[in-house]
Amino acid sequence: MVESDLRRSIPRTDHLLALPEVVAAGERLNQATIKAIISEVQNAARAGEIPVAEVAPAITSKLGSRSASSLAPVLNATGILVHTNLGRAPLSPAASQAITEAAGYVDVEMDLGTGKRSKRGTGVKAALLQASPAAEDVLVVNNGAAALLLAVTAMRGRSTGSGEIIISRGELIEIGAGFRLTDLMTTTGARLREVGTTNRTHLADYADAISDVTSCLLKVHTSNFRVEGFTSSVEVTDLRGLADEHNLPLIVDLGSGLFTPDPALPDEPDIDTALRAGADLVIVSGDKLLGGPQAGLILGRTEAVQTLAKHPLARALRTDKLTLAALEATITHTANPIHDALHMDPNHLRQRTEELAEAVGATVVEHDGRVGGGGAPGVPLPGWAIELPEDCAEPLRLGAPAIVARVHQGRCLVDLRCVSESEDNRIAAAIKRVRADNA
Ligand SMILES: *Cc1c(COP(=O)(O)O)cnc(C)c1O
């Protein structure tokens, strides 16, 4: 067929819009979305990717399967708890329910008793103070980066000149996809005063760098890397003494967000310890080890927290009602998928993995899970996976449910650590289908 004939034979938009299935879809989807799907299919036919006869059925099927958002639910079979590309922490049932309930009108800024305006975030604040008794005050912003931005900006206002932030060279990190915390801090106009070396920084290095333009001392968790061997860094307690001598605020950016030490991750710093050691402000993310929604938590001394809360930038970085609701639910309830995956009983994980291997005819191999998302760098979480040929990974990803396994050294590894046990049967069925198709 010559090209012009082909073009003429593709059903026209007005004909397609009049199809009963398309009209019915208009109850659910708006016209712009429907037209976009129609032209996408027409273009595929024009490009010869689908036959002309398939145009109408393809549109009907796409309209039928169009979900509310283009974000597709995924089963995380990588063994990485806080998987940055998969939305970091999955929310607990309580947090999901809180989001649904907060979706409509809520009393986020109204006292229902008096009918008068109230402060937003009081519930989450109370929950955070209960979970972290060493904190005098708290503030919640959009994410960890926003918390750091606000802290650095607000503390700069206390000092003269451009305001220097003193930070160890061993803590100048890039946290992912080219995002450097140092760039974030210097966009505020503050200057970084780097001290020490990559592997070793001493208290005297900080002390020597302090001048009348210093705005704060900053300690940053190295998150996604670890320096081993001849190393030394300065503890928060020692920095506290120095900060007191010079009346400087001490900010500690922990990244991960454990409230208290976790025996499963002995080297991972926690909020309580950092506050007791004397940090004025501790910064963590809500969607890393805390297992909540994206948020930046700032905990610490009243005066320091209030300096941030009163800064005009705080309004630009505030969280929405959905985040406040999910965060409060995460903190006040016990069930938490990240916590469960971190503390999974190894025998139970092994048993589930063996059952899966038996169901699909694969072998069990040792496989270490990881915290991910910049938590507990290099720390293995010993466990198991089933081993499949590498070419299973793509069809598993593209299937329903979408399953993301780990591709490593020419193998496709399915790790159940971050998968809810109730999904094990669906995973087995999906693997069987893929293996049958690949056979
Ligand atoms: C992850 C991380 C951040 C950024 O937090 P987001 O919530 O991703 O914005 C900042 N500092 C450290 C040390 C981190 O690990």
Side-chain angles (χ1 to χ4, degrees):
M1 207 187 298
V2 292
E3 205 182 316
S4 61
D5 288 344
L6 174 70
R7 196 159 294 152
R8 228 171 293 145
S9 64
I10 292 172
R12 282 170 31 194
T13 306
D14 50 351
H15 288 164
L16 293 167
L17 279 170
L19 292 174
E21 295 90 344
V22 178
V23 173
E27 302 266 317
R28 235 171 19 98
L29 300 168
N30 67 21
Q31 286 299 302
T33 307
I34 292 174
K35 282 182 183 161
I37 287 175
I38 289 178
S39 71
E40 185 192 323
V41 175
Q42 287 170 322
N43 288 341
R46 245 168 239 137
E49 289 161 15
I50 59 167
V52 168
E54 285 301 315
V55 168
I59 288 171
T60 311
S61 132
K62 275 183 189 269
L63 288 173
S65 63
R66 179 72 166 87
S67 50
S69 102
S70 61
L71 293 178
V74 165
L75 295 179
N76 173 9
T78 63
I80 301 169
L81 276 58
V82 182
H83 198 302
T84 306
N85 307 134
L86 300 180
R88 287 199 180 160
L91 292 182
S92 66
S96 306
Q97 189 192 337
I99 284 193
T100 307
E101 285 167 5
Y105 292 119
V106 279
D107 61 345
V108 64
E109 280 186 37
M110 181 183 278
D111 177 341
L112 292 178
T114 62
K116 297 235 158 58
R117 181 174 187 156
S118 68
K119 282 200 165 167
R120 64 194 278 131
T122 44
V124 83
K125 188 169 167 175
L128 278 166
L129 290 174
Q130 271 158 19
S132 182
E136 292 172 3
D137 202 353
V138 300
L139 179 66
V140 183
V141 293
N142 222 346
N143 55 20
L148 187 60
L149 182 75
L150 179 59
V152 166
T153 309
M155 290 309 174
R156 228 194 107 200
R158 288 176 79 259
S159 67
T160 52
S162 58
E164 278 184 0
I165 302 164
I166 302 186
I167 181 171
S168 160
R169 288 199 172 86
E171 299 171 2
L172 300 171
I173 57 168
E174 174 172 309
I175 54 178
F179 179 68
R180 296 182 172 161
L181 288 186
T182 46
D183 292 342
L184 177 78
M185 290 186 273
T186 51
T187 58
T188 68
R191 280 164 42 97
L192 293 184
R193 180 71 195 270
E194 302 163 12
V195 299
T197 60
T198 306
N199 59 330
R200 288 172 73 84
T201 303
H202 310 286
L203 189 61
D205 295 321
Y206 288 90
D208 290 346
I210 293 177
S211 72
D212 51 7
V213 297
T214 305
S215 74
C216 62
L217 305 183
L218 174 64
K219 189 168 173 64
V220 178
H221 180 35
T222 53
S223 298
N224 46 14
F225 84 103
R226 205 162 56 165
V227 184
E228 279 176 70
F230 188 52
T231 63
S232 133
S233 61
V234 183
E235 298 291 329
V236 177
T237 12
D238 298 325
L239 289 176
R240 177 73 260 158
L242 189 61
D244 280 340
E245 272 173 49
H246 299 272
N247 189 27
L248 287 170
L250 171 59
I251 304 172
V252 179
D253 178 5
L254 290 184
S256 281
L258 290 178
F259 277 116
T260 49
D262 191 317
L265 303 172
D267 295 327
E268 190 63 12
D270 65 281
I271 299 169
D272 190 60
T273 306
L275 286 172
R276 286 182 199 285
D280 289 298
L281 294 175
V282 171
I283 291 171
V284 301
S285 296
D287 53 354
K288 293 184 178 172
L289 280 176
L290 197 72
Q294 178 187 303
L297 277 47
I298 302 162
L299 305 96
R301 296 204 177 158
T302 309
E303 193 205 333
V305 173
Q306 283 305 313
T307 304
L308 272 58
K310 289 185 185 135
H311 192 280
L313 195 54
R315 176 61 176 79
L317 304 175
R318 79 172 188 186
T319 46
D320 75 331
K321 59 179 180 171
L322 302 181
T323 303
L324 294 173
L327 189 57
E328 184 178 343
T330 304
I331 298 165
T332 53
H333 287 64
T334 40
N336 183 317
I338 288 284
H339 186 268
D340 293 349
L342 180 60
H343 296 276
M344 183 153 292
D345 172 6
N347 293 326
H348 187 56
L349 179 58
R350 170 146 211 176
Q351 187 197 329
R352 284 172 61 195
T353 311
E354 278 170 356
E355 283 167 11
L356 177 65
E358 176 148 350
V360 305
T363 43
V364 174
V365 293
E366 288 187 355
H367 184 245
D368 292 339
R370 298 276 165 181
V371 169
V379 177
L381 305 172
W384 290 271
I386 66 159
E387 183 184 306
L388 300 171
E390 186 177 354
D391 62 5
C392 290
E394 183 182 319
L396 284 174
R397 273 198 320 273
L398 294 173
I403 300 168
V404 176
R406 174 159 185 236
V407 177
H408 184 60
Q409 296 180 336
R411 301 170 303 166
C412 168
L413 300 164
V414 177
D415 186 321
L416 297 176
R417 178 182 295 275
C418 306
V419 175
S420 156
E421 194 171 351
S422 60
E423 302 286 3
D424 287 4
N425 289 337
R426 284 216 298 166
I427 292 210
I431 294 173
K432 279 191 220 163
R433 279 197 300 275
V434 164
R435 300 204 81 176
D437 290 348
N438 282 5

